[in-house]
Amino acid sequence: MRFEDTNIEDVLLLVSKKFGDPRGYFMETFRKNLFESEVGSFTFVQDNRSYSAQAGTVRGLHFQIPPHSQGKLVSCSSGALLDVAVDIRTGSPTYGKFVAVELSAENAFQLWLPPGFAHGFCTLMADTIITYKVTDYYSAEHERGLLWSDPALGIEWPVAADKAILSEKDRGQPRLSELQSNFIYAVNDELGRRSRSR
């Protein structure tokens, strides 16, 4: 398993090696010791799965605020999607910037985003299933959102805003300029940041 840097520090792409034969393939999708050596000490407490019937379905951008903020390890087990993580850590040199990666059942990539990032995705195929491990339990009281189509973010979604399939709740999320400061950027802070050798 390789841990590859993205354009934002602390957001990592996990690439697993497939061992194939005429029957199919085998691959490791998570190893605690490797994850801790590359990312840091995080404990996953809940696994989630979301099914989207149609291509062009957008979910997000979502996050939970402290004390129930969540790191997420995201993968796609069926179909394909564009996965997006937006830095919402006040004081971060990449505040308001994003990472966008195509995750699919075929490429088997995973994306790690620590607490302090808003997360969302757009399905590229029908019958897409996204799965993700999180570092804290779901809490409706601490759930928040960011408007997926905020022009200030500059995200190039694979669907036009008027064609996207999304919930009314996600249509009404606040813009980046309207977000409260719930996450503070600091090296080696309580959010789990750690220096990584390049």
Side-chain angles (χ1 to χ4, degrees), residues 63-65 68 70 137-144 169:
F63 59 97
Q64 286 189 183
I65 61 173
H68 294 291
Q70 295 176 321
Y137 298 106
Y138 171 72
S139 171
E141 180 183 354
H142 298 87
E143 184 180 25
R144 299 290 187 275
K169 180 178 179 180

Side-chain angles (χ1 to χ4, degrees), residues 70-141:
Q70 295 176 321
K72 297 180 180 180
L73 182 59
V74 185
S75 62
C76 177
S77 56
S78 178
L81 57 94
L82 182 72
D83 203 55
V84 177
V86 179
D87 190 348
I88 55 172
R89 301 170 297 176
T90 301
S92 168
T94 53
Y95 179 81
K97 305 298 182 185
F98 66 91
V99 172
V101 177
E102 182 175 332
L103 305 179
S104 69
E106 183 177 355
N107 67 30
F109 294 163
Q110 298 180 83
L111 191 68
W112 160 251
L113 53 146
F117 285 78
H119 172 252
F121 64 90
C122 178
T123 57
L124 303 174
M125 298 174 61
D127 299 320
T128 288
I129 297 175
I130 181 174
T131 58
Y132 51 102
K133 306 170 79 68
V134 294
T135 60
D136 206 336
Y137 298 106
Y138 171 72
S139 171
E141 180 183 354

Side-chain angles (χ1 to χ4, degrees), residues 138-160:
Y138 171 72
S139 171
E141 180 183 354
H142 298 87
E143 184 180 25
R144 299 290 187 275
L146 172 63
L147 184 64
W148 72 287
S149 58
D150 183 355
L153 301 176
I155 300 170
E156 295 184 6
W157 293 97
V159 63

Side-chain angles (χ1 to χ4, degrees), residues 151-185:
L153 301 176
I155 300 170
E156 295 184 6
W157 293 97
V159 63
D162 62 342
K163 301 294 185 183
I165 303 165
L166 71 165
S167 68
E168 287 304 312
K169 180 178 179 180
D170 284 345
R171 291 182 191 278
Q173 299 287 10
R175 296 171 182 258
L176 183 68
S177 62
E178 300 168 326
L179 284 189
Q180 295 182 351
S181 179
N182 292 298
F183 301 94
I184 306 299
Y185 174 89

